[in-house]
């Protein structure tokens, strides 16, 4: 296990932020770590729509995934009060999980979107990150990462789109995008 856990951010407009965090989770699981992924703004009404949900429940006993969101993608133009409630519920769960010392890696998937849309205050996220257990690695994903969070992170990767089949009308594909 780690003596010094760092804060990582995967952001940008390109595909691969959640996927990169899942790759890190797989690597950590291989070393016997307990990993928690908290998915903000993602929900599926219990249908296990996302592949990572199915994998965690079927094949990876040390990998937990918790979802806090509606069964749709959240954008600035379609946010409703229920999205805020789900984000707050997820954030409470995240704060408790961070302090629990139960996990070696926690992924806060799409938390950058929640911060950008004002669902979770930047000051609250900063406080939780500053007070995390020293050995805990935390990953934040999502577009539009806040500059204050970028400044306090140890690693920041920006995913930049060069070419994407979505631009030709190809929709999200099972097993690849979800």
């Amino acid at each position: 296990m780690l003596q010094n856990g760092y804060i990582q951010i995967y952001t940008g407009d390109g595909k691969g932020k959640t996927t990169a965090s899942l790759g890190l989770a797989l690597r950590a699981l291989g070393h016997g770590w307990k990993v928690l992924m908290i998915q903000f703004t993602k929900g599926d009404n219990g249908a296990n729509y996302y592949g990572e949900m199915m994998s965690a429940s079927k094949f990876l006993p040390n990998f937990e995934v918790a979802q806090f969101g509606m069964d749709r993608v959240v954008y600035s133009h379609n946010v409703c009060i229920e999205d805020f409630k789900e984000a707050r519920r997820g954030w409470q769960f995240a704060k408790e999980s961070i302090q629990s010392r139960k996990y070696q890696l926690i992924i806060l998937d799409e938390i950058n979107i929640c911060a950008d849309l004002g669902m979770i205050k930047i000051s609250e996220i900063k406080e939780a990150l500053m007070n995390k257990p020293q050995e805990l690695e935390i990953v934040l994903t999502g577009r539009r990462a806040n500059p204050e969070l970028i400044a306090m992170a140890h690693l920041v990767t920006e995913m930049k789109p060069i070419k994407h089949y979505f631009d030709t009308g190809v929709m999200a594909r099972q097993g690849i995008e979800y």
Side-chain angles (χ1 to χ4, degrees), residues 24 42 48-49 73 80 85 89 105 125 147:
L24 186 63
K42 291 182 178 177
N48 282 337
Y49 175 79
V73 177
C80 68
K85 288 178 183 176
R89 198 168 67 86
L105 171 62
I125 298 171

Side-chain angles (χ1 to χ4, degrees), residues 119-137:
M119 299 165 130
I120 302 171
K121 293 179 183 175
I122 299 300
S123 60
E124 290 183 57
I125 298 171
K126 286 174 60 176
E127 181 180 345
L129 295 176
M130 285 188 287
N131 294 311
K132 75 173 189 63
Q134 182 177 342
E135 67 281 1
L136 176 62
E137 192 88 3

